[in-house]
Amino acid sequence: MGGKILAALAGLLALAIAAFMMVKIVTLYGAARYAAGRAEAEATHANGLIVAEQARARAGDTARDRIIAADAARLAEMTRILPHILTAHEEVKAYASTVAGGAPCLATERVRGIERDRAVLFPDIAQAGDGDTGSLPPDAVRDATGP
């Protein structure tokens, strides 16, 4: 009888060990599946992050190129008009120091000088204007020379 009880306990112990091992195997299998699924999701997400980062970098490069182009255009425009601005400034200072420069009305040549300055500084506006760069009206000539 003791042998039967011992055999039953040994069988029960073997069954308990088998159940414990089965739980361990299932747990390890589940952990492995979880890790594999997580790695797959991270790989998929990483590809999306890489694509998003590449798009962001391209947008940054495009913005940088636009800024560089605008800066170059501004520099070209300033290079074109700066000598004229400096010359015009000196002309105004020289004219203002004369008797005619102190008069309340501008002389005919000064008005033409202003229109010439405008045409140099703003060529698009000068071409789109009314085109009347000819003689001044009689009252402007009379006012500039005095009554």
Side-chain angles (χ1 to χ4, degrees), residues 8-145:
L9 284 176
L12 190 58
L13 181 63
L15 188 59
I17 291 174
F20 177 76
M21 293 301 287
M22 192 58 112
V23 167
K24 275 303 221 183
I25 289 172
V26 168
T27 303
L28 289 174
Y29 178 74
R33 290 287 300 146
Y34 175 79
R38 186 173 176 105
E40 182 180 335
E42 287 175 357
T44 303
H45 187 65
N47 288 337
L49 287 176
I50 290 169
V51 169
E53 180 62 23
Q54 288 171 343
R56 187 200 61 77
R58 278 192 302 274
D61 291 346
T62 302
R64 183 203 60 219
D65 293 344
R66 283 192 344 245
I67 290 169
I68 290 170
D71 227 12
R74 179 183 173 278
L75 179 62
E77 183 67 10
M78 288 304 293
T79 302
R80 183 184 74 80
I81 67 172
L82 188 61
H84 186 72
I85 290 172
L86 295 175
T87 303
H89 181 70
E90 292 301 319
E91 287 176 4
V92 168
K93 281 174 43 179
Y95 183 76
S97 66
T98 65
V99 175
C105 295
L106 294 176
T108 306
E109 68 276 0
R110 186 64 192 132
V111 172
R112 286 197 180 104
I114 291 170
E115 289 188 6
R116 184 185 67 244
D117 292 346
R118 184 185 64 172
V120 170
L121 292 173
F122 308 106
D124 297 338
I125 296 172
Q127 291 172 359
D130 57 358
D132 183 20
T133 56
S135 63
L136 294 172
D139 59 338
V141 173
R142 179 178 45 92
D143 289 345
T145 58

